[in-house]
Amino acid sequence: MADGDLATLTAAVEAAAAQRFPGRRVTDLAVLPGGHSGLTHVATLAADGGDPVRCVVKSTPPGRRPRGRHDVLRQARILGALGRASRVPVPELLFEAPEPIPLFGMELVGGFAAEPVMEEPRPDETAAGVAAAWEAAVDLLVALQEPAPADL
């Protein structure tokens, strides 16, 4: 992302977050490492005398229309609906904006991105841990099927 695009995104995040987090400014905006899910950043929102808030920001790429895989506001609506209509764990939606850049912010959830095809196993990775992760993934896929499409 070009510097001008990053400055525009920073300003858009501050404006979108202002209602939920008044008086805070973006003090850091960095690409979230791991995975390939479009433009995904971690933003730090800080204010004098307050604890910083870290959140994940998904945005439509510069110059692109919010359609198909770039329709981040649709992604936000689906996350919100999943949170209300299912037992699927989803991060809390914190803010969203349709312009100047379509974007939304959500809770930053601890964890790591696993890239089993592209990375070496982590030192703490065990066969039992991998098996448990796969079982949890299957359970999550079952839970994703529970809500009716109309509810989403």
Side-chain angles (χ1 to χ4, degrees), residues 3 6 8 23-24 27-28 72 78 106 113 120 122 140 151:
D3 288 343
L6 191 58
T8 301
R24 294 185 181 266
T27 58
D28 188 44
V72 296
I78 291 170
M106 63 184 141
E120 294 296 318
R122 295 183 333 275
L140 181 60
D151 293 338

Side-chain angles (χ1 to χ4, degrees), residues 32 54-56 90-92 106-112:
L32 181 67
R54 294 186 73 218
C55 60
V56 174
V90 296
E92 178 186 359
M106 63 184 141
E107 168 188 21
L108 176 63
V109 178
F112 62 90

Side-chain angles (χ1 to χ4, degrees), residues 14-145:
E14 284 182 354
Q19 185 172 353
R20 176 85 183 256
F21 304 104
R24 294 185 181 266
R25 64 191 184 292
V26 175
T27 58
D28 188 44
L29 187 66
V31 172
L32 181 67
H36 302 282
S37 62
L39 294 182
T40 308
H41 293 81
V42 175
T44 302
L45 305 169
D48 295 335
D51 290 334
V53 173
R54 294 186 73 218
C55 60
V56 174
V57 176
K58 295 224 21 156
S59 63
T60 299
R64 298 283 180 117
R65 294 178 52 146
R67 297 178 119 163
R69 67 188 181 110
H70 299 303
D71 189 351
V72 296
L73 298 179
R74 180 174 60 97
Q75 294 171 26
R77 286 191 306 274
I78 291 170
L79 281 172
L82 280 171
R84 292 185 301 275
S86 75
R87 59 185 180 93
V88 175
V90 296
E92 178 186 359
L93 295 174
L94 302 174
F95 54 85
E96 63 182 79
E99 49 188 42
I101 300 171
L103 63 83
F104 73 93
M106 63 184 141
E107 168 188 21
L108 176 63
V109 178
F112 62 90
E115 297 285 347
V117 175
M118 301 173 71
E119 296 177 354
E120 294 296 318
R122 295 183 333 275
D124 63 340
E125 203 168 49
T126 64
V130 171
W134 278 108
E135 288 180 23
V138 169
D139 290 343
L140 181 60
L141 288 172
V142 170
L144 279 168
Q145 304 306 310

